[in-house]
Amino acid sequence: MKKNLFFLLVVLMGCQQQPSSLMPYSKADFEATIDGKKTSLFTLENTQGMKVTLTNYGAKIVSIMVPDKAGKLADVALGFKSIEEYQTQDAGQGAVVGPYANRIANGQFELNGETYQLEVNNHKACLHSGTQSFYRQVYDAREIQTDAGPAVEMTLNSPDGASGFPGNKTVVVTYTLTADNALKIDYKATTDKACPFNLTNHVYFNLKGEGNGNIMDHVVVIDADSTTEVLNNELIPTGKIVSVKGTDMDFTSPHQIGERIDSEMQALAVAGGYDHNYILNKDQHANELTFAASAYEPASGRYVEVFTTEPAVQFYTGNFLNGSLIGRGGKAYEHRYGFCFETQHYPDSPNHPNFPNTVLEPGDTLRSTTIYKFSVKE
């Protein structure tokens, strides 16, 4: 009898501990005041067991809990377990990046006869709009119910001159979790002065679960025949569009990430792996929602598909992760422990008139949608 009671107690304790091991943080860990505005944690959940947590600090995806082929849940998004850690470790993890994601050469662009100088924070470029851009800002947030599923709407008002960009800008980001395990991100923006915009989300994925090894065995497909040419480790486009067909950068058919990542191909060698703007095989000006990319992890069976209205996607393989960041599960994020599919316009577009236009004019509204849809394959 005592033996049975002991066994029952162990089982009950295990059941009680399971949620904390899966979600090693609480809402209280995300409640703070930054620049006079309150931050919090928001949870979206569907009937399939998928759960997404978000914070209005940088409109960040904190976690994405999805099942594997055996039904076991794991968090497939890299990140941290408190607002404090997002402030001190890496504010870009899972964040909405803007006004202009990716790189602008020399941190400078000209618009309507005026030169705008931005922060130079990556070699000679401005990367992701500088160190105090949208991912360091607190959005106003509200939970809403949509026809597609539960959602969180986040709104940011960014004043004229913030991070060097013109215009009083309003950005609305809506995260919706659908019944079929799709996380939909809708972006909307307006401005009272012409301003280049390139909004994306910088979520890192590891379909094994965050901190559970590298992503070299993930099988990737990208619907892109070409890329914007880069010649050195500054990764600034030359302005030329070059084909990747038949090269070690070609993912139009499935390939494991690790299969060719250490290739001597110049574009891969200078980037230390994949960190490139793939131009999707679609009308670059139509704003049509199409398939962009996918990744599959064989051991877990987890599969993610990316759909976007954007013309391109930056495929990044965590080349600069080096173990200095400790994830929310207590594991270090080592080299290539996560990958990104950053749907976007092209890097440095304000300095390349031949690239698709990124300038938002007063009176116009930017609208963009990206969907990350999760499933399993046997």
Side-chain angles (χ1 to χ4, degrees):
M1 181 68 175
K2 288 182 178 179
K3 188 175 181 180
N4 289 341
L5 285 173
F6 176 76
F7 177 76
L8 179 61
L9 181 61
V10 170
V11 171
L12 288 172
M13 287 177 67
C15 291
Q16 290 173 346
Q17 289 173 355
Q18 187 181 22
S20 62
S21 64
L22 290 177
M23 306 284 276
Y25 55 87
S26 68
K27 187 174 182 179
D29 294 316
F30 286 82
E31 292 175 342
T33 301
I34 300 174
D35 297 329
K37 300 185 71 174
K38 293 188 180 299
T39 66
S40 190
L41 186 74
F42 302 87
T43 300
L44 302 175
E45 192 167 6
N46 68 14
T47 56
Q48 305 300 312
M50 182 173 169
K51 182 184 292 186
V52 176
T53 59
L54 310 157
T55 178
N56 58 324
Y57 176 57
K60 292 174 171 64
I61 297 170
V62 175
S63 67
I64 302 175
M65 306 290 298
V66 293
D68 65 6
K69 59 189 176 184
K72 182 180 178 182
L73 289 171
D75 187 351
V76 299
L78 275 59
F80 310 111
K81 61 177 184 287
S82 69
I83 284 292
E84 181 181 5
E85 290 192 4
Y86 276 101
Q87 289 180 285
T88 58
Q89 293 217 64
D90 182 358
Q93 296 269 346
V96 168
V97 181
Y100 203 93
N102 218 307
R103 294 165 175 85
I104 295 179
N106 301 310
Q108 194 174 91
F109 64 91
E110 290 187 10
L111 184 58
N112 296 334
E114 187 169 347
T115 299
Y116 292 90
Q117 182 62 54
L118 314 174
E119 178 185 359
V120 174
N121 63 329
N122 183 262
H123 297 289
K124 298 176 183 177
C126 179
L127 176 63
H128 296 326
S129 301
T131 55
Q132 299 301 316
S133 62
F134 286 0
Y135 57 74
R136 292 275 185 194
Q137 308 307 312
V138 180
Y139 289 60
D140 296 322
R142 66 188 185 109
E143 296 174 282
I144 58 176
Q145 187 65 39
T146 72
D147 292 340
V152 178
E153 180 187 88
M154 302 193 191
T155 303
L156 177 69
N157 294 307
S158 179
D160 185 18
S163 296
F165 287 87
N168 294 296
K169 300 166 289 295
T170 298
V171 176
V172 180
V173 182
T174 304
Y175 291 99
T176 305
L177 180 60
T178 70
D180 60 349
N181 284 2
L183 178 60
K184 182 184 180 195
I185 311 174
D186 290 301
Y187 304 91
K188 184 171 72 172
T190 57
T191 179
D192 64 1
K193 287 183 184 177
C195 180
F197 265 91
N198 186 24
L199 299 173
T200 194
N201 188 286
H202 205 295
V203 61
Y204 287 73
F205 296 110
N206 186 327
L207 298 180
K208 297 175 184 176
E210 62 90 22
N212 289 340
N214 65 45
I215 42 83
M216 303 286 268
D217 62 344
H218 287 55
V219 178
V220 164
V221 171
I222 304 174
D223 185 24
D225 291 342
S226 58
T227 185
T228 41
E229 181 186 56
V230 293
L231 297 178
N232 57 46
N233 65 354
E234 294 187 12
L235 301 182
I236 298 295
T238 64
K240 292 182 180 179
I241 307 301
V242 294
S243 173
V244 296
K245 289 293 289 180
T247 75
D248 290 338
M249 287 179 60
D250 184 358
F251 283 94
T252 52
S253 60
H255 288 277
Q256 287 190 332
I257 291 175
E259 181 183 335
R260 304 164 302 170
I261 196 169
D262 293 318
S263 164
E264 294 181 0
M265 182 179 176
Q266 182 180 5
L268 288 172
V270 298
Y274 297 100
D275 190 4
H276 301 86
N277 174 58
Y278 281 80
I279 298 171
L280 298 174
N281 295 330
K282 64 190 292 185
D283 185 331
Q284 295 290 287
H285 308 282
N287 205 41
E288 180 184 2
L289 186 68
T290 60
F291 170 79
S294 66
Y296 167 64
E297 199 284 301
S300 68
R302 293 189 183 95
Y303 179 56
V304 62
E305 299 167 277
V306 185
F307 304 86
T308 188
T309 57
E310 291 294 300
V313 60
Q314 185 87 3
F315 177 45
Y316 172 58
T317 49
N319 310 316
F320 297 110
L321 296 175
N322 60 10
S324 61
L325 301 176
I326 306 300
R328 66 179 142 267
K331 298 177 183 177
Y333 292 156
E334 303 287 354
H335 190 222
R336 298 173 178 164
Y337 262 44
F339 69 93
C340 303
F341 285 137
E342 301 163 71
T343 57
Q344 60 170 15
H345 273 62
Y346 307 178
D348 200 31
S349 288
N351 294 311
H352 296 282
N354 59 312
F355 288 177
N357 178 53
T358 58
V359 176
L360 180 64
E361 299 285 350
D364 292 340
T365 300
L366 178 154
R367 297 184 190 274
S368 176
T369 296
T370 291
I371 296 171
Y372 296 107
K373 188 178 187 301
F374 295 88
S375 59
V376 294
K377 296 169 69 174
E378 295 297 335

